[in-house]
Amino acid sequence: MRVSGGRLRRLLAVTVVLSVALSLATAAAGGGEHNFRRDFDVVWGAGNARFRDGGRTVELSLDERTGARLQSKQRYLFGKFDLEMKLVPGESAGTITSFYICTGGARHDEVDFEFLGNASGEPYLLHTNIFSDGRGEREQQFALWFDPTRGFHTYTILWNPHSIILYVDGVPIRVFANNAAAGVPFPARQPVRVFASIWDAEDWATQGGRVRTDWNRAPFVATYRRYNVTNACVWEDEEDGGGGNGGRVRCPTTAVAGSGRRRRAAAWMAQRMDWWSWMTLSWVRMNYMVYDYCADRRRFPHEFPPECAIPIGRS
């Protein structure tokens, strides 16, 4: 079945409206309990992290001295992580504003949203990457269909045993399926923390480092709000004093109607891409993807990474 570009654009617009409405409803129902001041540590640049609205909003700034980074106090093993961001307006070349999950360690797992600043009037690029078992180099970059500096937009990392899906305002832009059976490591064993940061990467962030940071425009300020991990499995460390990575997972559940006390795993834990999601993802890739490591023959002249040979949509 073929769907015209015009129809897909109209359907995408409807999807964005509905997903934003759902995001707002979710924030009102459960996400409001989360608080940056309470739920995060400022691990560097403490003077450049300013909490507003009782901790429900945080501004991270970058100047010539330092940027800032927040790290969640809790760790998670699988989850749906939502965050609203408004990026640095105007001149932002050389800056990176990020939202990501990471385990830490030499063989770390990591999923990145990194926004590459640009000269005034030029669009941001959304740089995404996925590390599994210490290996990254899985970059995909996207132009956005809106100006991320003029208002807040929701960025979501969905991570369950089946796949990692990245969303922008509820629109899927990237999928990394669990292809462990084909020899592709998939993050499934190490708990992550959630991070938010702004930092200087003028050596590569903007046009490969050709456009440098204009420090006369500092400080560069990005704003975060409506952090929501209501749908995430909290990792609880074992109290054995051993300092290891042992622990257990506490996941949210939903009651089964008419069954008394019986409960089942939350829907996001089993969520997969449906037909409409695949169609939307394909449209985004055709119209907004500007770089895909699986198509870069200069980096991989002989053989692409093994996951690139697996057709998208198959897991």
Side-chain angles (χ1 to χ4, degrees):
M1 176 180 179
R2 296 190 61 185
V3 181
S4 69
R7 185 183 177 198
L8 270 174
R9 279 190 289 273
R10 291 192 294 273
L11 290 173
L12 177 59
V14 172
T15 298
V16 170
V17 170
L18 292 176
S19 63
V20 170
L22 180 60
S23 175
L24 294 173
T26 300
E33 67 186 81
H34 299 290
N35 182 293
F36 288 101
R37 187 190 295 275
R38 184 194 65 215
D39 297 339
F40 284 81
D41 294 315
V42 184
V43 292
W44 54 264
N48 285 18
R50 297 176 178 86
F51 298 96
R52 310 289 192 191
D53 192 22
R56 287 183 286 274
T57 298
V58 63
E59 295 174 350
L60 301 183
S61 64
L62 169 69
D63 54 35
E64 284 188 273
R65 180 180 57 89
T66 186
R69 182 170 68 185
L70 304 183
Q71 172 184 288
S72 67
K73 294 179 179 178
Q74 288 187 318
R75 293 193 293 170
Y76 306 91
L77 187 67
F78 301 122
K80 184 180 180 184
F81 308 91
D82 296 300
L83 189 62
E84 290 190 11
M85 300 170 61
K86 183 165 66 173
L87 304 186
V88 176
E91 182 73 24
S92 59
T95 70
I96 290 183
T97 307
S98 69
F99 160 46
Y100 61 103
I101 58 175
C102 184
T103 63
R107 301 181 67 172
H108 71 289
D109 301 326
E110 182 175 338
V111 182
D112 297 329
F113 276 110
E114 293 182 320
F115 298 87
L116 311 186
N118 216 327
S120 295
E122 296 295 322
Y124 267 83
L125 281 183
L126 170 52
H127 179 93
T128 68
N129 201 357
I130 294 173
F131 291 75
S132 55
D133 200 26
R135 177 182 165 253
E137 298 186 331
R138 297 186 174 98
E139 299 93 344
Q140 290 183 354
Q141 292 183 346
F142 303 84
L144 297 170
W145 50 92
F146 54 84
D147 182 348
T149 73
R150 295 179 63 86
F152 287 93
H153 293 268
T154 303
Y155 305 94
T156 301
I157 300 170
L158 174 64
W159 171 38
N160 65 27
H162 307 295
S163 58
I164 294 166
I165 309 175
L166 303 185
Y167 296 89
V168 175
D169 286 335
V171 176
I173 65 165
R174 180 170 186 177
V175 177
F176 184 74
N178 186 345
N179 288 303
V184 181
F186 182 83
R189 297 177 291 103
Q190 302 185 83
V192 303
R193 295 190 192 273
V194 182
F195 295 85
S197 66
I198 185 169
W199 50 289
D200 174 33
E202 65 175 357
D203 58 332
W204 70 274
T206 306
Q207 299 178 31
R210 288 189 293 274
V211 182
R212 314 295 280 188
T213 305
D214 181 358
W215 293 111
N216 293 319
R217 305 291 187 115
F220 305 98
V221 181
T223 308
Y224 297 74
R225 72 179 187 185
R226 288 183 177 150
Y227 164 68
N228 187 357
V229 289
T230 303
N231 294 310
C233 297
V234 176
W235 179 270
E236 297 178 336
D237 292 313
E238 291 180 345
E239 298 180 1
D240 58 6
N245 205 36
R248 64 188 183 92
V249 175
R250 175 168 50 85
C251 293
T253 58
T254 57
V256 177
S259 64
R261 296 184 178 180
R262 191 159 65 89
R263 304 182 69 83
R264 65 185 175 194
W268 64 265
M269 183 63 92
Q271 184 174 331
R272 299 173 184 262
M273 296 277 287
D274 58 15
W275 177 88
W276 166 241
S277 297
W278 283 119
M279 291 296 294
T280 307
L281 178 75
S282 297
W283 187 85
V284 170
R285 287 173 60 90
M286 284 189 296
N287 291 277
Y288 295 101
M289 177 181 280
V290 298
Y291 176 80
D292 182 7
Y293 74 108
C294 283
D296 191 339
R297 283 288 182 188
R298 197 163 78 176
R299 281 180 63 190
F300 305 103
H302 305 296
E303 186 177 22
F304 286 119
E307 65 270 19
C308 296
I310 303 172
I312 188 169
R314 183 183 300 172
S315 62

